Amino acid sequence: MGYVTLAGAIAAEVAATTAMKYSEGFSRLWPSLVTVTGYLVAFALLAQTLKTVQVGTAYAIWAGTGTAVIAAIGMLFLGEGLTLAKAAGIVLVIGGVVLLNLGGAH
């Protein structure tokens, strides 16, 4: 169940970060509310996750997956370019999450 709540935390964080892009520095009401709500939900779900998943593993998956998904959203939907450095960074983040999960999950 911990990984289900972790997936929800990741989804909420990704939604909040994406909405932040559209909030225009918190000058637009609805994207700003989605941002704040999304982060509140993300942290609440992450806190629930930590009841059953080790903190290092949970945080690495949360942060790494969120970072990779946000980078992909930026490239696919927001017109951000894909450079070799950016692609390598995403691969390294994902690889680090996998290694931490394999080495620390029980």
Side-chain angles (χ1 to χ4, degrees):
M1 186 64 176
Y3 288 99
V4 173
T5 56
L6 182 57
I10 293 166
E13 188 263 337
V14 167
T17 303
T18 303
M20 190 185 305
K21 169 69 175 168
Y22 293 104
S23 75
E24 296 179 11
F26 292 108
S27 64
R28 296 182 60 215
L29 177 62
W30 292 110
S32 298
L33 289 175
V34 170
T35 299
V36 171
T37 302
Y39 280 119
L40 287 172
V41 169
F43 282 111
L45 290 173
L46 183 60
Q48 292 302 308
T49 299
L50 296 180
K51 290 180 178 180
T52 58
V53 179
Q54 295 177 5
V55 67
T57 301
Y59 189 75
I61 294 169
W62 182 67
T65 303
T67 300
V69 171
I70 287 296
I73 288 171
M75 289 181 285
L76 294 171
F77 301 110
L78 302 175
E80 297 178 5
L82 175 63
T83 64
L84 183 59
K86 189 180 281 190
I90 292 169
V91 168
L92 288 170
V93 166
I94 293 169
V97 167
V98 169
L99 284 174
L100 255 171
N101 200 18
L102 291 174
H106 291 84

